[in-house]
Amino acid sequence: MTLYFLGGGNMAAAIIAGLRRAAYPHAVAVAERCADKRARLHAQFGVQTLESLPPQLHGDDVLVLAVKPQDMAEACAGVDTGGALVLSIAAGLPVSALSQMLGGTRRIVRIMPNTPAAVASGVSGLYAAEGASAHDRERADAVMRSCGECVWLDTEEQMHAITAVSGSGPAYVFYLLNALQQAAQTLGFSPEHAKMLSLATFRGAVDLAAQSSDDFAVLQQQVTSKGGTTHAALASLRRDDVAQAVTRAAHAAAHRSREMAQTAP
């Protein structure tokens, strides 16, 4: 049994790093057209690298589709899965489109990972097509749990929501981190200290929330004294409608995911 990656980009590398940390017991190979990427992946992880997939895979193999959605049809042209389990991490491409590109196979699990997978702190949403067995789900789960947590979805429609929340979510956090760093600099801190303060504040708040049984709103109240400094800051955020802006952003991401699914081949 071999776990093949079609595409050797950043997310593929993040998953491979997780597999290595978890001492994944099966062979891993990457099919990647770019020679520089092949050399880098082999040097970093010791995985077998290929310019293209073998002419035919086997039924006990796993194929991870890790190319960009707009390049998927071309990348899959001529691929013979041989009945292998297919895991797709391509945003917006539904099972129907993937099946069409791969000669009609329905043994497919769609996955929406996120970039913190690179440091084993990712979260992935997974949806199994009707052709995927319980054992296939277990195998997909084992791959993605090597780099974080997994959430199984009941319907393919939920892939749009998981894309909007956790798939795109790290970018929202980085946006807020950057905003807090910039605010710290306007208050007189050096860029280095502003970055350290922002990171430590986010990290500490997340750790506290993870270890507490209280809702986020309760934790917020515990930091806020009426008429105090935090109260003034939160009042400013409410005036600027920041919470609703985050909600609108997530809905915009979900809408774009649906558009991508509608334009898929």
Side-chain angles (χ1 to χ4, degrees):
M1 179 262 172
T2 300
L3 174 64
Y4 290 98
F5 283 82
L6 181 56
N10 292 335
M11 189 54 68
I15 297 172
I16 294 169
L19 293 169
R20 283 291 178 258
R21 280 190 297 266
Y24 188 69
H26 303 292
V28 177
V30 183
E32 167 58 55
R33 293 179 179 178
C34 176
D36 288 343
K37 286 184 180 179
R38 291 200 304 273
R40 186 166 58 249
L41 288 166
H42 179 71
Q44 187 173 1
F45 303 113
V47 294
Q48 179 187 10
T49 56
L50 313 163
E51 190 171 350
S52 60
L53 290 171
Q56 184 181 46
L57 305 186
H58 302 286
D60 61 347
D61 290 333
V62 178
L63 172 61
V64 181
L65 302 178
V67 297
K68 294 178 181 179
Q70 62 268 29
D71 298 331
M72 188 65 75
E74 181 183 356
C76 288
V79 171
D80 186 347
T81 66
L85 170 62
V86 176
L87 311 181
S88 172
I89 62 172
L93 288 180
V95 167
S96 58
L98 295 167
S99 178
Q100 181 179 339
M101 294 174 191
L102 292 169
T105 182
R106 299 288 291 184
R107 196 182 173 198
I108 297 172
V109 175
R110 284 188 62 193
I111 302 171
M112 175 46 63
N114 64 7
T115 54
V119 291
S121 294
V123 58
S124 300
L126 299 92
Y127 169 74
E130 292 180 1
S133 67
H135 181 57
D136 290 336
R137 289 169 60 105
E138 292 174 2
R139 297 173 80 190
D141 198 87
V143 170
M144 299 314 300
R145 283 198 185 277
S146 70
C147 48
E149 300 184 42
C150 293
V151 177
W152 281 93
L153 309 177
D154 295 326
T155 67
E156 190 170 16
E157 172 66 21
Q158 291 176 299
M159 290 297 294
H160 305 304
I162 202 79
T163 298
V165 175
S166 60
S168 299
Y172 314 156
V173 176
F174 299 145
Y175 182 91
L176 294 173
L177 273 169
N178 185 64
L180 187 57
Q181 180 182 6
Q182 295 300 316
Q185 289 179 230
T186 66
L187 290 167
F189 289 101
S190 68
E192 294 76 14
H193 282 164
K195 181 177 181 179
M196 181 275 288
L197 287 168
S198 301
L199 279 171
T201 300
F202 266 71
R203 186 186 300 115
V206 169
D207 288 347
L208 178 60
Q211 296 175 33
S212 174
S213 59
D214 291 328
D215 291 339
F216 299 150
V218 173
L219 293 172
Q220 176 185 301
Q221 292 168 7
Q222 292 171 355
V223 186
T224 309
S225 299
K226 188 173 182 180
T229 58
T230 308
H231 184 270
L234 291 174
S236 177
L237 290 172
R238 293 190 183 100
R239 284 195 299 271
D240 290 337
D241 202 20
V242 172
Q244 286 303 311
V246 172
T247 298
R248 289 192 294 270
H251 279 268
H255 177 71
R256 178 57 184 147
S257 178
R258 291 188 181 93
E259 286 183 335
M260 291 170 66
Q262 291 169 359
T263 58

